[in-house]
């Protein structure tokens, strides 16, 4: 690198020792006979350029140091690195810094010793050779004391490009390197491919004891005077399915403590409890008719799965409206892992003491809204019967000690108008002739709940005095006011492994056995109505708490008991026993991380029906999961 000495002389101050020296004549000002001194030695023809001042080393952290420290902290917060690894990195870095400072001190001591031995001031000794742009070399490094501005600019651009590239590789982009609107978006995606084997052991009842009330209620009413069976649930034929689930969305920071969330996903249907799309499946539409969703390499539908606005003025309080994740601390016994809640929810928590944090959740959620034109074939419309869920939960999150953590909560779920209601007496002329309480039937169900007829059909001449045209729908036979207690206890004394015990107890307080015995059409035995109103779920889990790196793993064992009318079967776990209630049995499974973002999981579930005829189902699931 060459530097114009004149520019250096004009821009850099001279050291005092050099500035005080008498000027040396230039060869242009001397006659030829004065180019040599009396001793015969050549006269210096040009003064050496003044060296730039030696910059003192700063103790302030550089931009690179600050970026490295914050990057490590961010990786720990996101679970990409353990606290122990981060502390090791910091210890190594501190040792390197201490070694570098020691070498600097040795170099300065050598410069001072050189100055004493030669009589050259230390400031000049540091830049021995005199010219700007001179290079100081020691045994380990070369330092350029002057860099032109255009070189600095080029270096800045190169460093910036490298930082952006590294940030992209690591999944972290500094807000200072991106437009504001980009840094406000937080996209995410998860993918799951599942192999599922549904097995039905011999001995299950196949006499028509398991009506598919969901198909009946979402299609044409069932004519009870018909000689054909009502739609039935499979109880004897094993099935294999390959199922896909894809969900993608984003959360957007709107500023002023507001955020917006959106998610879309796959699904065989608009089921509230599943995002699975069975590959190659031609699905049954309401009423049992085939739809055009799937089969023959057909494309699959995408559904709006989440859409919400959240206001969080402080960390301890949030208010959310729209469609959002389950806001309650619960198990799959009452709420499916895939379910979304429509409505309004308020969440609050308060740290009363280190490690002790009570919390409160309150919400109201529309379950069903009466059609504006109900009944569509009647000039005079029927009265609305909207369905709501009003719910509240209070609990405490308690970090008992370094190794022990507990969380306990009690909840109350009031399902308003969810039970079926008997209509005013009438005689339907055909399947489209609606009753005034048809809207009290559920628009989605799995299986297990007890049902009652909701059409009060009059026997007269138009229906052969009850022998024909008995078009019937079915509603839930009991109201639901469910109380629950949920608890989780974690032990972290085997780090990096964790032992976790999760349990929940539920009871439907509105259950009336004698009233249901008079109207129930299912869940009966030789002694009458055999259903119940209690449920409990318990799971023991051991392994790494999260799947953050390759080789992380966990395994679990669980038992569940869900009586027929302990909870609404349309909203709970869709996997155990094929979904719903009136089931009990075991679950065993495990998972292992193949990379920080990909894992494999295996699960086996064995379920038996509690009340009524025999129904057993064994289900095997193998999943490959990926997320970003």
């Amino acid at each position: 690198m060459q530097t114009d000495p004149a520019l250096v002389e004009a821009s850099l101050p001279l050291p005092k020792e050099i500035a005080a020296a008498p000027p040396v004549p230039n060869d242009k000002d001397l006659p030829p006979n004065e180019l040599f001194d009396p001793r015969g030695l050549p006269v210096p023809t040009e003064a050496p350029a003044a060296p730039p001042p030696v910059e003192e080393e700063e103790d302030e952290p550089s931009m690179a140091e600050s970026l490295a420290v914050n990057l490590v902290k961010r990786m720990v917060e996101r679970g990409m690195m353990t606290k122990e690894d981060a502390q090791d990195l910091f210890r190594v870095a501190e040792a390197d810094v201490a070694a570098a400072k020691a070498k600097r001190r040795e170099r300065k001591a050598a410069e001072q010793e050189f100055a004493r031995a030669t009589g050259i001031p230390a400031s000049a000794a540091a830049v021995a050779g005199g010219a700007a742009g001179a290079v100081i070399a020691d045994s380990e490094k070369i330092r350029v004391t002057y860099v032109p501005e255009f070189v600095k600019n080029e270096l800045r651009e190169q460093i910036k490009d490298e930082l952006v590239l590294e940030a992209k590789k690591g999944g972290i982009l500094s807000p200072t390197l991106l437009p504001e609107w980009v840094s406000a978006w937080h996209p995410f995606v998860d993918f799951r491919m599942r192999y599922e084997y549904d097995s039905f052991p011999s001995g299950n009842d196949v006499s028509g004891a398991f009506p598919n009330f969901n198909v009946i209620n979402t299609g044409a009413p069932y004519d009870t005077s018909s000689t054909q069976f009502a739609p039935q649930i499979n109880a004897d034929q094993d099935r294999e399915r390959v199922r896909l689930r894809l969900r993608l969305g984003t959360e957007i920071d709107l500023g002023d403590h507001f955020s917006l969330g959106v998610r879309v996903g796959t699904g065989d249907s608009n089921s509230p409890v599943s995002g699975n799309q069975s590959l190659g499946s031609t699905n049954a539409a309401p009423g049992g008719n085939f739809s055009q969703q799937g089969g023959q390499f057909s494309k699959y539908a995408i559904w709006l799965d989440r859409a919400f606005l959240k206001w969080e003025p402080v960390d301890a309080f949030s208010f959310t409206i729209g469609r959002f994740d389950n806001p309650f601390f619960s198990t799959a016994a009452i709420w499916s892992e895939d379910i979304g809640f429509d409505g309004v929810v308020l969440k609050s928590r308060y740290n009363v003491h280190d490690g002790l944090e009570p919390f409160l959740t309150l919400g109201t959620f529309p379950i069903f809204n009466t059609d504006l034109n109900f009944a569509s074939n009647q000039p005079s419309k029927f009265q609305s019967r909207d369905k709501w869920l009003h719910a509240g939960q209070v609990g405490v999150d308690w970090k008992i000690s370094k190794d022990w953590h507990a969380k306990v909560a009690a909840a109350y779920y009031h399902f308003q108008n969810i039970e079926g209601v008997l209509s005013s007496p009438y005689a339907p002329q055909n399947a489209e002739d609606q009753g005034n309480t048809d809207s009290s039937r559920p628009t989605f169900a799995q299986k297990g709940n007890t049902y009652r007829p909701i059409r009060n059909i009059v026997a007269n001449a138009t229906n052969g005095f009850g022998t024909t045209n008995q078009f019937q729908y079915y509603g839930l036979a009991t109201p639901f006011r469910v109380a629950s207690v949920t608890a989780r206890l974690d032990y972290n004394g085997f780090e990096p492994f964790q032992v976790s015990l999760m349990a929940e107890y539920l009871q439907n307080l509105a259950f009336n056995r004698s009233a249901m015995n008079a109207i129930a059409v299912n869940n009966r035995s030789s002694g009458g109505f055999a259903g119940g109103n209690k449920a409990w779920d318990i799971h023991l889990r051991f392994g790494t708490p999260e799947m953050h790196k390759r080789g992380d793993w966990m395994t679990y064992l669980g038992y569940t008991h869900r009586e027929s009318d302990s909870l609404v079967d349309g909203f709970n776990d869709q996997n155990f026993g094929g979904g719903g209630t009136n089931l009990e049995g075991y679950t065993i499974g495990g998972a292992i991380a193949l990379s920080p973002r990909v894992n494999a999981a295996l699960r086996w579930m064995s379920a038996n029906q509690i009340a009524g005829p025999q129904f057993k189902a064994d289900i095997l699931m193998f999943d490959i999961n990926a997320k970003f």
Side-chain angles (χ1 to χ4, degrees):
M1 185 187 305
Q2 295 183 354
T3 305
D4 188 345
L7 293 176
V8 176
E9 185 174 354
S11 59
L12 299 176
L14 294 175
K16 290 186 297 182
E17 296 81 358
I18 298 178
V24 179
N26 190 288
D27 61 346
K28 295 179 181 179
D29 302 325
L30 295 173
N33 61 345
E34 294 184 14
L35 293 177
F36 297 91
D37 64 15
R39 294 172 297 174
L41 298 176
V43 175
T45 60
E46 193 169 313
V54 178
E55 297 181 0
E56 294 296 327
E57 299 293 341
E58 297 182 356
D59 292 332
E60 301 291 336
S62 68
M63 176 182 174
E65 291 169 343
S66 178
L67 178 63
V69 171
N70 284 290
L71 181 60
V72 171
K73 289 181 178 179
R74 185 68 59 85
M75 292 174 72
V76 172
E77 291 172 359
R78 297 194 175 186
M80 301 169 64
M81 179 185 293
T82 65
K83 291 182 180 178
E84 292 75 15
D85 290 342
Q87 290 170 353
D88 288 343
L89 285 177
F90 287 138
R91 281 194 292 270
V92 172
E94 288 172 355
D96 291 343
V97 169
K101 287 182 178 179
K103 289 180 180 178
R104 268 202 311 271
R105 288 193 294 268
E106 292 175 1
R107 185 185 67 223
K108 288 184 178 180
E111 290 171 355
Q112 292 173 355
E113 179 64 26
F114 176 79
R116 283 194 297 270
T118 61
I120 300 176
S123 59
V127 285
V135 177
I136 299 173
D138 61 20
S139 61
E140 297 189 11
K141 63 174 73 175
I142 296 176
R143 179 177 175 183
V144 177
T145 60
Y146 174 76
V147 180
E149 194 64 31
F150 76 92
V151 176
K152 292 180 181 179
N153 293 335
E154 184 177 346
L155 288 173
R156 288 191 192 102
E157 291 301 318
Q158 291 178 358
I159 292 171
K160 181 178 177 181
D161 292 342
E162 290 175 3
L163 285 174
V164 171
L165 181 61
E166 291 300 319
K168 286 181 178 179
K169 289 180 179 178
I172 303 172
L173 284 177
S174 170
T176 61
L177 303 179
L178 294 173
E180 183 179 355
W181 70 269
V182 175
S183 60
W185 287 61
H186 307 284
F188 55 88
V189 60
D190 70 74
F191 168 88
R192 182 179 71 201
M193 183 65 75
R194 167 177 291 173
Y195 169 77
E196 179 178 326
Y197 181 72
D198 300 335
S199 173
F200 302 96
S202 60
N204 284 353
D205 191 299
V206 291
S207 65
F210 305 118
N212 191 333
F213 290 104
N214 186 53
V215 171
I216 296 171
N217 285 330
T218 56
Y222 173 59
D223 185 356
T224 59
S225 63
S226 170
T227 58
Q228 292 185 336
F229 284 113
Q232 296 286 307
I233 292 170
N234 180 21
D236 64 336
Q237 293 300 315
D238 297 349
R239 301 286 189 227
E240 292 179 277
R241 294 187 285 185
V242 178
R243 316 190 79 183
L244 165 73
R245 187 187 72 179
L246 176 69
R247 302 182 297 191
L248 63 155
T250 185
E251 289 195 21
I252 308 167
D253 183 3
L254 303 179
D256 295 325
H257 310 290
F258 286 95
S259 61
L260 180 69
V262 178
R263 189 176 85 184
V264 296
T266 55
D268 286 340
S269 66
N270 62 351
S271 161
V273 297
S274 174
N276 291 320
Q277 173 61 61
S278 298
L279 302 186
S281 172
T282 302
N283 306 318
N289 297 318
F290 286 115
S291 72
Q292 296 302 311
Q293 165 97 346
Q296 301 296 114
F297 297 135
S298 298
K299 292 183 285 292
Y300 301 118
I302 293 291
W303 306 88
L304 179 64
D305 192 33
R306 299 289 187 272
F308 63 85
L309 177 68
K310 178 189 284 187
W311 180 52
E312 194 170 9
V314 293
D315 290 340
F317 176 87
S318 68
F319 179 80
T320 308
I321 58 175
R323 181 174 177 84
F324 39 81
D325 289 339
N326 174 16
F328 300 104
F329 174 52
S330 59
T331 70
I334 184 169
W335 302 117
S336 165
E337 294 177 354
D338 289 333
I339 198 166
F341 278 70
D342 303 332
V344 179
V345 67
L346 179 152
K347 301 187 73 173
S348 178
R349 58 178 59 241
Y350 182 72
N351 191 358
V352 298
H353 188 269
D354 289 345
L356 187 64
E357 191 174 69
F359 61 89
L360 173 70
T361 303
L362 298 172
T364 186
F365 316 96
I367 296 174
F368 173 82
N369 182 256
T370 306
D371 184 83
L372 182 64
N373 297 310
F374 177 64
S376 61
N377 60 353
Q378 298 287 340
S380 179
K381 303 307 176 184
F382 295 147
Q383 183 178 1
S384 293
R385 186 175 174 81
D386 299 336
K387 303 175 185 179
W388 294 81
L389 167 63
H390 310 290
Q393 185 176 59
V394 61
V396 62
D397 205 340
W398 184 19
K399 185 173 177 55
I400 304 169
S401 66
K402 176 181 177 293
D403 294 329
W404 291 95
H405 176 264
K407 188 174 183 179
V408 182
Y412 181 73
Y413 306 100
H414 175 66
F415 294 87
Q416 179 184 342
N417 293 336
I418 201 167
E419 69 276 11
V421 177
L422 189 65
S423 72
S424 300
Y426 85 114
Q429 302 302 301
N430 51 53
E432 289 76 32
D433 194 359
Q434 294 176 303
N436 67 333
T437 63
D438 281 2
S439 62
S440 69
R441 73 190 192 274
T443 55
F444 176 80
Q446 297 190 88
K447 64 179 185 299
N449 283 162
T450 304
Y451 285 83
R452 59 157 301 165
I454 60 172
R455 285 182 169 182
N456 187 3
I457 301 176
V458 176
N460 60 25
T462 63
N463 56 31
F465 297 98
T467 59
T468 60
N469 295 342
Q470 301 295 294
F471 301 108
Q472 190 61 263
Y473 279 131
Y474 299 88
L476 297 176
T478 179
F480 284 86
R481 295 192 292 275
V482 180
S484 75
V485 177
T486 312
R488 187 182 71 216
L489 181 64
D490 300 329
Y491 177 67
N492 298 295
F494 304 121
E495 288 189 358
F497 304 114
Q498 180 188 75
V499 181
S500 183
L501 181 65
M502 180 86 171
E504 185 168 38
Y505 175 81
L506 305 114
Q507 183 170 340
N508 179 12
L509 305 179
F511 181 84
N512 186 320
R513 181 176 299 276
S514 60
M516 293 181 67
N517 187 51
I519 58 177
V521 297
N522 63 320
N523 295 330
R524 306 186 73 92
S525 65
S526 57
F529 175 64
N533 68 328
K534 299 177 180 65
W536 54 88
D537 195 276
I538 184 167
H539 278 78
L540 179 65
R541 182 187 184 280
F542 178 73
T544 51
E546 302 289 343
M547 300 289 180
H548 284 321
K549 64 181 184 298
R550 182 178 180 181
D552 283 352
W553 61 272
M554 66 90 177
T555 185
Y556 58 90
L557 174 66
Y559 175 79
T560 189
H561 177 96
R562 306 167 189 170
E563 294 175 359
S564 62
D565 299 287
S566 54
L567 47 100
V568 180
D569 71 20
F571 304 136
N572 76 334
D573 175 30
Q574 72 275 22
N575 296 317
F576 183 76
T581 62
N582 200 19
L583 296 166
E584 65 179 352
Y586 297 89
T587 299
I588 186 170
I592 185 168
L594 307 180
S595 80
R597 300 189 186 277
V598 181
N599 67 76
L602 185 68
R603 175 166 36 168
W604 169 263
M605 296 168 285
S606 181
N608 297 327
Q609 181 160 289
I610 299 172
Q614 177 179 311
F615 176 87
K616 295 182 179 180
D618 296 328
I619 299 176
L620 174 69
M621 292 179 176
F622 175 70
D623 297 342
I624 296 292
N625 302 282
K627 64 180 179 179
F628 170 76

